């Protein structure tokens, strides 16, 4: 409320000044009422963003939802508006767990949940640990901070291709260490096909994701007042107690946003599995976005693919809403 | 304040582990890019048996890497500049004005972050093809289409972060400029933007990295001449014989500029995050 008042008075004041300054030029122009001028400017400023978001996100999403109700196969791809309506058929196919397509989707969903749980959990843990350990100044701190950000800065494809090389069965580093040097396995294992592939995927995803958590937590730590630590030190609190009693509680709001963002990115991740495994992921690491891509672009069934995407979006919406509801409950008092 | 030994040792162990984890692929990338082909095709060795810089010459001939490089640079650079300008305008409107639909705008823009890319990949592809057919503006397969797509990817986060950043700049500053006779845009460019340089740099870094690293849309929306590094780099790996030393050399070549730029600007990123996104 206060903001409106200041905005209005400020604009009026400036108008008076400008009209006094170049009054001659001013009088010849048709007078635009102040209310409309200040009312229109914010919309004008938002226009480019709104138009682009509409063109690239909102309209395609609406079309995607419409497509999920049509029988859209490769025959209709040049004239997708002419594809016959199929009602909820695509959805029925997607959720029918007794048929191959639905069963595969459920499996992929399950794999993605397990993957996301471990990938987000470990990335968050590493990020928080790194940020807290670098909170105090010591020699080499700036250097370590730079090193920790390298995985974040490396382009995904370059980094993940390197991991793919490291996970090669015969000439990779991982098997060289595990088999040749440590003798932990009887024979070199496959990492990019078969049952182990989920581990490879989690390792790469954590490697790629924790520096972002580190970055966000590090920024969050700078907002904790130094006086809290000083006061608690006078009261006799040790480092460990300070971390438990001051740092972690103060990080709670940051952590809540961070975990949600990590969850959404990880659950939707396409780049990592695509570069690591190629177009078809091993069954054990068949993440949902790769699975839908496969269902749409490889088997050319865009209607079913769209239905799967919409189901995925609904799931993410539900989880996000639930998460926001749970996490905002504790904050209501401070937010107002 | 003296930290206890238990803390110092825990810190050493954790930091050593994380540094090794972070740098392991970098070591593999550098060392393997300097190995002859028979060395990378056989068992992995920590120490290269013979050093060669030949892969760094070969990478340009095996795939048209220079062209991909230029494409990536043009696409990511344009997307970054446009995204930052548009985000500055939007964030200024939201931070400094009260208007109807403000909440709807911020919530909608933020929620686009949640969309699975796969949901709008195909429709966007069809829209681009249709626009091309009906107006002759080639979006599909062109750099323009990719620029348009990428700039919207970084836009939500950029707007969100800049709103927070602009909010942290005292309103008295631009109010003073308005009193002194600046228009609202004058106040934005002469007062708010200069005061928000760390936030804007942070957003630009984020936008550039988003565009430079994207794979999915790059592989569907480009053709032979507009292919970016994200797709082009797979050229070494899909052939029958994988030239791993060249793959690693090319990976290093495309990584060095962006990692160097990022490390130079990372202070801004933390400063921007502190004032903007994390509050």
């Amino acid at each position: 409320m206060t903001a409106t008042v200041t905005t209005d008075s400020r604009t009026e004041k400036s108008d008076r000044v400008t009209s006094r300054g170049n009054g001659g030029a001013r009088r010849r122009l048709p007078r635009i009422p102040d209310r409309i001028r200040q009312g229109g400017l914010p919309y004008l400023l938002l226009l480019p963003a709104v138009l682009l978001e509409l063109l690239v996100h909102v309209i395609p999403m609406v079309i995607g939802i419409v497509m999920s109700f049509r029988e859209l196969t490769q025959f209709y791809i040049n004239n997708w508006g002419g594809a016959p309506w199929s009602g909820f058929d695509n959805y029925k196919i997607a959720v029918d767990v007794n048929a191959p397509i639905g069963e595969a989707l459920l499996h992929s969903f399950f794999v993605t949940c397990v993957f996301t749980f471990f990938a987000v959990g470990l990335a968050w843990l590493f990020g928080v640990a790194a940020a807290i350990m670098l909170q105090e100044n010591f020699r080499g701190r700036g250097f370590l901070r730079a090193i920790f950000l390298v995985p974040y800065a490396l382009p995904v494809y370059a980094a993940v291709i390197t991991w793919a090389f490291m996970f090669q069965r015969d000439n990779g580093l991982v098997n060289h260490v595990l088999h040749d040097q440590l003798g932990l396995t009887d024979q070199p294992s496959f990492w990019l096909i078969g049952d182990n592939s989920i581990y490879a995927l989690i390792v790469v995803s954590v490697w790629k994701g924790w520096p972002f958590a580190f970055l966000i937590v590090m920024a969050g730590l700078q907002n904790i007042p130094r006086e809290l630590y000083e006061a608690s030190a006078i009261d006799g609190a040790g480092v460990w107690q300070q971390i438990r009693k001051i740092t972690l509680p103060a990080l709670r709001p940051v952590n809540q946003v961070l975990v949600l963002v990590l969850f959404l990115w990880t659950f939707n991740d396409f780049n990592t599995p695509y570069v690591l495994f190629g177009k078809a992921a091993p069954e054990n690491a068949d993440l949902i976005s790769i699975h839908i891509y496969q269902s749409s672009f490889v088997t050319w069934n865009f209607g079913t693919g769209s239905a799967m995407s919409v189901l995925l979006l609904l799931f993410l919406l539900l989880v996000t809403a639930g998460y926001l509801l749970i996490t905002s409950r504790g904050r209501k008092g401070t937010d107002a | 304040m003296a930290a206890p030994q238990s803390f110092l040792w825990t810190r050493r162990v954790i930091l050593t582990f994380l540094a090794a984890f972070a740098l392991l692929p970098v070591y593999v990338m550098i060392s393997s890019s300097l190995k002859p082909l028979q060395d990378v095709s056989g068992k992995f060795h920590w120490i290269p048996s013979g050093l060669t810089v030949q892969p760094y010459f070969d990478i340009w001939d095996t795939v048209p890497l220079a062209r991909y490089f230029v494409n990536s640079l043009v696409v990511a650079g344009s997307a970054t500049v446009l995204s930052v300008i548009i985000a500055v305008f939007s964030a200024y409107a939201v931070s400094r004005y009260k208007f109807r639909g403000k909440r709807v705008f911020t919530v909608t823009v933020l929620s686009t972050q949640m969309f699975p890319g796969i949901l709008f990949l195909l429709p966007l592809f069809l829209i681009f093809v249709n626009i091309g057919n009906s107006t002759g503006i080639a979006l599909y397969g062109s750099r323009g289409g990719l620029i348009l797509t990428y700039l919207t990817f970084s836009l939500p986060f950029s707007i969100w972060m800049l709103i927070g950043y602009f909010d942290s700049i005292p309103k008295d500053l631009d109010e003073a400029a308005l009193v002194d006779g600046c228009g609202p845009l004058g106040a934005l460019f002469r007062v708010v933007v200069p005061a928000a340089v760390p936030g804007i740099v942070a957003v630009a870094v984020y936008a550039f990295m988003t565009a430079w690293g994207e794979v999915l849309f790059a592989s569907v929306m480009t053709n032979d001449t507009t292919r970016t590094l994200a797709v082009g780099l797979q050229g070494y790996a899909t052939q029958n014989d994988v030239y791993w030393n060249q793959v690693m050399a090319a990976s290093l070549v495309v990584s060095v500029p962006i990692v160097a730029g990022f490390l130079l600007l990372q202070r801004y990123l933390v400063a921007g995050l502190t004032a903007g996104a994390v509050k």
Side-chain angles (χ1 to χ4, degrees):
Chain A
M1 213 51 220
T2 8
T4 348
V5 176
T6 42
T7 311
D8 290 346
S9 62
R10 176 227 294 165
T11 323
E12 259 165 43
K13 214 183 294 169
S14 79
D15 275 344
R16 241 179 287 130
V17 174
T18 20
S19 51
R20 204 186 302 142
N22 52 356
R26 186 77 194 222
R27 225 165 288 138
R28 258 173 275 137
L29 291 168
R31 178 115 181 99
I32 307 164
D34 277 351
R35 198 166 44 85
I36 293 181
R37 288 187 42 202
Q38 69 204 40
L41 184 67
Y43 295 112
L44 205 63
L45 290 171
L46 292 182
L47 193 66
V50 171
L51 282 181
L52 284 162
E53 288 293 328
L54 274 179
L55 175 70
V56 181
H57 285 121
V58 180
I59 295 177
M61 202 185 68
V62 172
I63 294 178
I65 293 172
V66 172
M67 286 190 339
S68 70
F69 292 104
R70 287 174 185 260
E71 197 182 299
L72 196 62
T73 54
Q74 74 262 45
F75 306 112
Y76 294 103
I77 203 64
N78 279 319
N79 175 29
W80 53 276
W85 286 95
S86 60
F88 280 95
D89 282 1
N90 288 322
Y91 289 90
K92 281 180 196 146
I93 293 170
V95 298
D96 181 6
V97 292
N98 295 317
I101 292 177
E103 195 193 349
L105 182 67
L106 185 69
H107 171 81
S108 163
F109 175 76
F110 180 68
V111 166
T112 313
C113 287
V114 172
F115 160 75
T116 306
F117 178 79
F118 286 103
V120 171
L122 288 172
W124 175 81
L125 192 70
F126 288 8
V128 171
I132 289 179
M133 293 301 152
L134 287 192
Q135 194 179 9
E136 292 294 320
N137 205 359
F138 60 90
R139 217 154 56 91
R141 177 173 171 246
F143 179 66
L144 279 169
R145 178 160 104 163
I147 285 178
F148 288 176
L149 291 175
V150 165
Y152 181 68
L154 281 170
V156 177
Y157 44 88
V160 179
I161 281 183
T162 308
W163 276 103
F165 174 55
M166 290 160 68
F167 278 118
Q168 294 292 306
R169 179 173 181 269
D170 295 323
N171 55 347
L173 171 145
V174 175
N175 275 344
H176 177 65
V177 172
L178 292 184
H179 178 72
D180 304 346
Q181 296 192 312
L182 299 176
L184 291 176
T185 50
D186 291 340
Q187 49 186 321
S189 346
F190 286 105
W191 293 102
L192 300 178
I193 53 173
D195 290 349
N196 291 330
S197 43
I198 182 84
Y199 302 119
L201 189 59
I202 290 173
V203 167
V204 179
S205 182
V206 170
W207 179 85
K208 188 73 206 144
W210 76 267
F212 177 76
F214 166 63
L215 203 59
I216 296 289
V217 175
M218 198 163 54
L221 287 177
Q222 312 209 338
N223 290 334
I224 305 177
R226 300 291 322 156
E227 297 86 62
L228 281 181
Y229 291 102
E230 283 155 18
S232 71
I234 292 168
D235 291 344
V239 182
W240 291 115
Q241 260 185 313
Q242 288 180 333
I243 290 175
R244 221 175 37 241
K245 297 271 170 63
I246 300 174
T247 313
L248 289 176
L251 281 178
R252 237 187 75 181
V254 172
N255 275 332
Q256 287 170 349
V257 177
L258 174 63
V259 167
L260 180 64
V261 170
L262 282 178
F263 165 78
L264 290 173
W265 283 353
T266 311
F267 209 93
N268 285 329
D269 192 16
F270 178 89
N271 295 339
T272 310
Y274 183 75
V275 180
L276 197 60
F277 302 121
K279 281 193 168 84
E283 201 184 328
N284 219 350
D286 188 22
L287 294 194
I288 199 119
S289 49
I290 289 277
H291 188 81
I292 297 175
Y293 177 86
Q294 186 82 2
S295 311
S296 312
F297 280 84
V298 180
T299 61
W300 295 98
N301 204 335
F302 295 111
T304 321
S306 300
M308 291 175 179
S309 311
V310 174
L311 289 174
L312 172 60
L313 179 66
L314 286 178
F315 170 76
L316 294 175
L317 277 174
L318 269 177
V319 173
T320 307
Y323 184 81
L324 290 178
L325 211 67
I326 293 168
T327 53
S328 68
R329 200 176 292 157
R331 276 203 285 164
K332 267 206 182 109
T334 52
D335 259 9
Chain B
M1 184 184 52
Q5 282 297 312
S6 69
F7 177 76
L8 292 180
W9 274 106
T10 316
R11 185 164 79 183
R12 262 171 226 150
V13 171
I14 291 179
L15 294 181
T16 309
F17 166 75
L18 289 176
F21 185 43
L23 288 185
L24 189 62
V26 179
Y27 174 76
V28 171
M29 209 187 263
I30 296 172
S31 67
S32 305
S33 73
L34 296 168
K35 291 177 180 176
L37 187 60
Q38 71 265 24
D39 198 346
V40 285
S41 307
K43 245 184 201 336
F44 179 87
H45 293 294
W46 288 95
I47 314 289
S49 58
L51 287 177
T52 170
V53 289
Q54 195 56 38
Y56 286 90
F57 294 102
D58 295 340
I59 50 175
W60 308 95
D61 300 324
T62 311
V63 303
L65 191 66
R67 191 204 300 158
Y68 300 154
F69 212 100
V70 172
N71 283 337
S72 278
L73 214 56
V74 170
V75 169
S78 316
T80 303
V81 171
L82 292 172
S83 163
V84 168
I85 293 173
I86 294 170
V88 164
F89 282 137
S90 303
Y92 181 66
V94 173
S95 170
R96 293 302 198 253
Y97 290 94
K98 186 148 191 165
F99 55 90
R100 197 191 289 257
K102 181 162 147 175
R103 222 186 128 62
V104 175
F105 173 79
T106 46
V107 170
T108 311
V109 161
L110 261 186
S111 60
T112 58
Q113 287 268 322
M114 201 190 300
F115 299 168
I118 196 80
L119 173 60
F120 56 92
L121 172 66
L122 177 70
L124 191 64
F125 165 76
L126 292 177
I127 291 177
F128 281 6
V129 170
N130 282 2
I131 289 180
N133 288 344
S134 55
T135 66
I137 304 170
L139 287 174
Y140 169 66
S142 75
R143 291 166 174 171
L146 214 53
I147 292 171
L148 206 64
T149 313
Y150 286 172
L151 84 89
T152 62
F153 283 0
S154 48
L155 207 50
F157 181 77
S158 303
I159 293 175
W160 181 47
M161 192 155 138
L162 283 180
I163 290 173
Y165 209 92
F166 287 176
D167 280 348
S168 73
I169 297 169
K171 291 198 170 55
D172 301 349
L173 283 179
D174 39 315
E175 275 168 22
L178 288 166
V179 172
D180 288 345
C182 276
L185 290 183
L188 169 61
F189 285 114
R190 289 185 195 181
V191 179
V192 180
V193 167
V197 165
I200 292 172
V201 172
V203 161
V205 169
Y206 175 79
F208 193 84
M209 286 182 22
T210 308
W212 192 259
E214 206 281 334
V215 178
L216 172 59
F217 286 72
S219 46
V220 176
M221 299 281 193
T222 55
N223 58 29
D224 280 347
T225 54
T226 55
R227 198 146 291 165
T228 60
L229 290 168
V231 194
L233 220 57
Q234 293 167 34
Y236 303 96
T238 53
Q239 290 153 10
N240 272 346
D241 202 9
V242 183
Y243 303 117
W244 280 113
N245 50 354
Q246 289 189 40
V247 178
M248 294 300 108
S251 299
L252 197 70
V253 167
V254 306
S255 301
V256 163
I258 190 145
V259 173
F262 179 81
L263 292 183
L264 280 176
L265 299 173
Q266 47 115 350
R267 275 173 199 291
Y268 286 104
L269 195 66
V270 177
L273 283 170
T274 310
V278 183
K279 275 196 313 169

